[in-house]
Amino acid sequence: MVSPNSKVILERDRLQTILDAIRAQGFRILGPTVRDEAIIYDDISRVEDLPIGWTDEQGAGRYRLCKRSDQAVFGFIGGAHSSKQFLFLPREMIWKVVREGKGFRFVDTQRDSAPLAFFGVRSCDLHAISIQDKVFMPVDPGYRARREKALIVAVQCGLAGKTCFCASMGTGPRATGDFDLALTEILEKQRHYFVVEIGTQRGAEIMEHVSHQAAAASDLEKAEAATRRALSQMGRTMEASDVKDLLYRNYEHPQWDDVARRCLTCANCTLVCPTCFCSSLEDATDLSGDQSERRRQWDSCFNLEHSYLHGGNIRSSPKARYRQWMTHKLATWQDQFGTSGCVGCGRCITWCPVGIDITAEVRAIRESEKRHGND
Amino acid sequence: MARKPKLAVWKFASCDGCQLSLLDCEDELLAIGEAVEIANFAEVSRAVVRGPYDISLVEGSITTPHDAERIHGVRRASKVLITIGACATAGGIQALRNFQDVKEFISIVYARPEYIRTLATSTAIADHVPVDFELRGCPINKRQLLEVLLAYLHGRRPLIHRHSVCMECKLRGTVCIMVSRRVPCLGPITHAGCGAICPLYQRGCYGCFGPNESPNVSSLSDAWLSAGAAPAEVVRVLQTFNAAAHPFADGAAALATRRVNATEQGA
């Protein structure tokens, strides 16, 4: 019998059974898979859909998909995609209204879709989901419906990339909660298996249909060792404890001009960020004028339209927009939601076409203060 | 029944591709015909209804003294004037002449250069008359054209975004090819609207829609150069359909200066 908070062993050659068990419960499974020379998130059903034997090398403005020398299933960091795009949809119709005689009628646009199972979520992204929960759960019925039904199978990181800094943000590398199941991959010469942590009753029910064994103390130690390895490989750091005050003290720091010279204001950082939640609403009409739709789509504080208020733009300079993004992410977010908006996943660093590094920007401000004092 | 709004389509120096986008709206074409009276559209009919016109779509750039005069007549006859395409909004590919000696071209190309009456530059319509809305693209996107027409017919703001092509890649889940494959791409400085077609097929953005709302050409140029592109290559990609659009033209000029400096240093 398995119960929440217990740990069991799943052999690699039985991994398919966990996908089958999830599917049998009616879930649409979304997991990592290789497409277009990158690891993305998409529908998966077979173990072979996973990035077996692949890894990714990441740096500032740089991502390369590479072959591993072994057949690790989760031996990669992760691409630009995250569960964000399936919970907070890039585009969503909010409502539709049809003219009827002299009045009009609202058409229900909420579709009852299959519940989602996220397979292979990393600790940083689990934290990102709970951060977005704070934003959307109280106000967004579409998000809430998707989120409440979602099943989460986490993967404990056994490696970290050059742009990872979850350890600095206190969001990883080991996931300690907010999952139904969590897998730690153990790949040895003679044996390839997973330590499965059961997080919830729902997770336990899935494991009832999956052949597993009891975990020995040595297995748990190996899982701990995987986390220690990831921790030792953490590519970047950010001193996060006082970053809020640091940024509040430095609204006029010359570093903002420096970064503005490099920033493309292309919005890539905000769109790959698993916590950024900005959107815009649009009302569209058809040719006859008898039908109208309100649509929501991802937007970004780097877009001028986003900060347009009647009569003008409140953040017309790239400097103001970069400062707004970073200060919100690391500082005002804390006042707004009680946590940092950054989970240290490093996506904004990797996927910035010119490699702007949020940890380096913070460090530059911090070090100049040390040099010049903060008054 | 209320009078249908009169729609006119005007052509200046252009290839006709943008105005044909209106005919490409096949599924909506009948509905468009219901909603407006097509009063002047040479690609559709010789029949011309006299002005004034409620909406004028203007394609093409100003390259001749005659057209520089004619556009004022179009403006006077139009309540709303919307320019469509890279030629009308930025001078088009023919604005490459702006950086060269046109007299020399004419003397080389034409047997009787004295018959050619042309301007030294190709310029956007907005350089000559006030324009109500500029729809970008080479060619324009027909969905966007429809949206602009709809917006003006219903008296609302057109839902046309001026942000980067990167937004469109991310909205459709396309992996950034500049980061993942080092493919030089103009997406970060280019105006959205095409739906990010090229990156979807692993080609860098060509900048058909021209500069976006706040393009940082110099930073993107640096990224291309450090990825191994020669300054001349970057100049060439900036000098295509929207060569005369200011941010692209200024960026190319800055690179040309840099190239000269590099050559001098090399010598």
Side-chain angles (χ1 to χ4, degrees):
Chain A
M1 270 325 278
V2 288
S3 57
N5 300 319
S6 63
K7 291 172 184 163
V8 297
I9 298 299
L10 172 72
E11 294 297 332
R12 158 69 183 84
D13 59 12
R14 306 296 294 162
L15 187 58
Q16 181 64 43
T17 59
I18 203 168
L19 292 177
D20 294 342
I22 295 169
R23 237 179 22 155
Q25 296 203 3
F27 286 99
R28 174 187 173 198
I29 310 177
L30 296 159
T33 192
V34 172
R35 195 182 74 201
D36 294 339
E37 289 187 36
I39 292 164
I40 61 151
Y41 246 79
D42 206 350
D43 288 275
I44 59 162
S45 58
R46 311 273 320 150
V47 168
E48 293 74 37
D49 296 334
L50 295 164
I52 299 169
W54 289 101
T55 192
D56 42 11
E57 287 176 11
Q58 305 193 26
R62 184 176 185 280
Y63 176 98
R64 289 293 173 279
L65 185 70
C66 314
K67 272 280 182 201
R68 289 176 62 94
S69 57
D70 59 23
Q71 291 296 298
V73 180
F74 298 106
F76 55 89
I77 312 305
H81 291 186
S82 64
S83 42
K84 173 166 106 168
Q85 73 208 64
F86 300 102
L87 290 170
F88 166 40
L89 307 181
R91 291 191 171 96
E92 188 171 16
M93 199 192 292
I94 303 296
W95 49 252
K96 190 172 178 172
V97 63
V98 179
R99 195 195 298 273
E100 276 183 349
K102 285 185 177 170
F104 53 84
R105 174 175 58 89
F106 282 91
V107 181
D108 187 11
T109 55
Q110 296 293 332
R111 270 158 294 170
D112 206 19
S113 49
L116 306 175
F118 294 105
F119 194 78
V121 183
R122 308 304 179 122
S123 183
C124 53
D125 286 349
L126 286 178
H127 284 84
I129 292 172
S130 66
I131 288 172
Q132 284 215 328
D133 283 352
K134 286 195 177 183
V135 178
F136 290 121
M137 289 299 257
V139 295
D140 183 340
Y143 179 95
R144 196 160 56 230
R146 289 185 288 273
R147 176 69 178 100
E148 279 173 349
K149 287 186 278 182
L151 179 90
I152 292 180
V153 180
V155 164
Q156 302 289 14
C157 290
L159 74 168
K162 291 198 178 75
T163 58
C164 289
F165 59 105
C166 64
S168 299
M169 305 313 290
T171 57
R174 171 157 283 273
T176 53
D178 295 331
F179 55 77
D180 295 291
L181 296 170
L183 314 180
T184 307
E185 184 171 24
I186 315 284
L187 178 53
E188 297 167 334
K189 278 210 177 85
Q190 303 301 325
R191 195 178 171 206
H192 189 179
Y193 66 102
F194 299 92
V195 174
V196 184
E197 296 164 69
I198 292 138
T200 60
Q201 187 55 39
R202 216 155 49 137
E205 280 158 25
I206 284 174
M207 288 310 288
E208 293 293 337
H209 302 281
V210 177
S211 61
H212 57 268
Q213 300 141 253
S218 61
D219 296 323
L220 303 184
E221 168 47 31
K222 283 172 190 166
E224 293 293 334
T227 301
R228 285 196 298 273
R229 187 169 62 237
L231 202 52
S232 72
Q233 293 173 356
M234 206 61 53
R236 277 172 163 75
T237 56
M238 185 195 286
E239 207 176 312
S241 57
D242 65 338
V243 71
K244 181 175 116 176
D245 295 329
L246 176 77
L247 296 181
Y248 283 176
R249 281 197 303 271
N250 286 288
Y251 282 128
E252 302 301 336
H253 197 279
Q255 186 64 19
W256 301 118
D257 294 301
D258 186 88
V259 70
R261 277 192 287 278
R262 289 170 279 137
C263 178
L264 300 168
T265 64
C266 62
N268 273 304
C269 51
T270 57
L271 302 179
V272 296
C273 176
T275 70
C276 271
F277 58 80
C278 284
S279 64
S280 56
L281 287 169
E282 300 178 342
D283 291 325
T285 44
D286 73 347
L287 255 171
S288 62
D290 289 335
Q291 200 169 294
S292 177
E293 290 173 6
R294 172 159 291 185
R295 306 178 198 138
R296 183 177 76 178
Q297 68 168 11
W298 285 358
D299 203 349
S300 169
C301 49
F302 284 94
N303 294 338
L304 279 172
E305 288 159 275
H306 191 68
S307 47
Y308 183 87
L309 299 178
H310 176 75
N313 190 291
I314 56 164
R315 285 190 282 273
S316 55
S317 72
K319 168 185 169 180
R321 281 176 272 159
Y322 187 88
R323 181 175 56 193
Q324 157 65 22
W325 175 68
M326 196 168 110
T327 309
H328 184 215
K329 188 71 36 188
L330 297 172
T332 53
W333 202 297
Q334 297 186 34
D335 294 333
Q336 193 179 7
F337 297 107
T339 65
S340 173
C342 175
V343 294
C345 70
R347 285 189 182 89
C348 59
I349 307 172
T350 300
W351 296 96
C352 172
V354 292
I356 293 172
D357 177 347
I358 189 170
T359 67
E361 298 308 318
V362 169
R363 190 168 298 116
I365 293 175
R366 188 184 295 285
E367 290 185 351
S368 85
E369 256 196 3
K370 278 185 198 155
R371 282 196 304 274
H372 307 295
N374 57 19
D375 44 16
Chain B
M1 189 188 147
R3 181 185 68 84
K4 280 193 208 172
K6 279 199 269 184
L7 175 74
V9 180
W10 308 93
K11 176 187 162 65
F12 288 80
S14 62
C15 77
D16 280 36
C18 288
Q19 52 175 299
L20 288 175
S21 301
L22 195 54
L23 295 180
D24 286 341
C25 298
E26 293 169 355
D27 293 337
E28 294 84 8
L29 205 50
L30 289 175
I32 295 170
E34 287 292 311
V36 299
E37 179 186 8
I38 295 179
N40 179 27
F41 190 1
E43 287 274 15
V44 170
S45 170
R46 281 190 300 183
V48 173
V49 180
R50 284 169 59 91
Y53 306 98
D54 294 282
I55 299 177
S56 277
L57 299 177
V58 177
E59 177 198 85
S61 67
I62 303 299
T63 57
T64 65
H66 172 247
D67 277 355
E69 199 48 51
R70 185 164 64 102
I71 188 61
H72 289 279
V74 171
R75 176 68 267 189
R76 278 194 297 274
S78 312
K79 286 183 189 161
V80 170
L81 190 157
I82 299 164
T83 51
I84 57 171
C87 300
T89 58
I93 191 124
Q94 59 273 25
L96 286 173
R97 70 166 64 177
N98 301 8
F99 311 101
Q100 304 293 339
D101 182 356
V102 175
K103 274 188 188 153
E104 191 193 348
F105 289 159
I106 294 168
S107 68
I108 296 168
V109 173
Y110 298 97
R112 302 291 299 272
E114 63 271 27
Y115 289 159
I116 305 300
R117 217 170 291 166
T118 190
L119 297 170
T121 55
S122 167
T123 44
I125 300 299
D127 292 340
H128 300 263
V129 295
V131 169
D132 296 290
F133 191 84
E134 292 188 304
L135 183 63
R136 297 180 189 277
C138 182
I140 55 168
N141 174 304
K142 67 175 185 179
R143 300 263 141 233
Q144 289 207 322
L145 176 61
L146 203 55
E147 165 57 22
V148 172
L149 280 178
L150 278 176
Y152 277 95
L153 288 172
H154 293 135
R156 62 170 173 82
R157 194 171 67 95
L159 301 174
I160 302 293
H161 297 291
R162 295 165 55 228
H163 53 53
S164 69
V165 172
C166 302
M167 284 291 298
E168 298 192 307
C169 272
K170 290 294 184 289
L171 283 167
R172 67 191 300 170
T174 304
V175 173
C176 177
I177 53 170
M178 190 161 163
V179 170
S180 70
R181 302 180 191 219
R182 244 188 173 197
V183 173
C185 180
L186 285 181
I189 58 169
T190 300
H191 193 294
C194 62
I197 303 166
C198 293
L200 186 64
Y201 295 96
Q202 289 83 53
R203 299 293 298 265
C205 167
Y206 292 93
C208 310
F209 277 60
N212 64 20
E213 58 193 7
S214 68
N216 188 342
V217 181
S218 122
S219 176
L220 189 71
S221 302
D222 286 343
W224 278 46
L225 297 178
S226 62
E233 262 176 87
V234 187
V235 169
R236 195 180 57 78
V237 297
L238 290 171
Q239 291 192 335
T240 60
F241 321 102
N242 292 279
H246 289 294
F248 283 8
D250 296 347
L255 277 159
T257 319
R258 210 186 305 196
R259 193 160 33 143
V260 169
N261 291 342
T263 316
E264 280 170 359
Q265 276 168 18

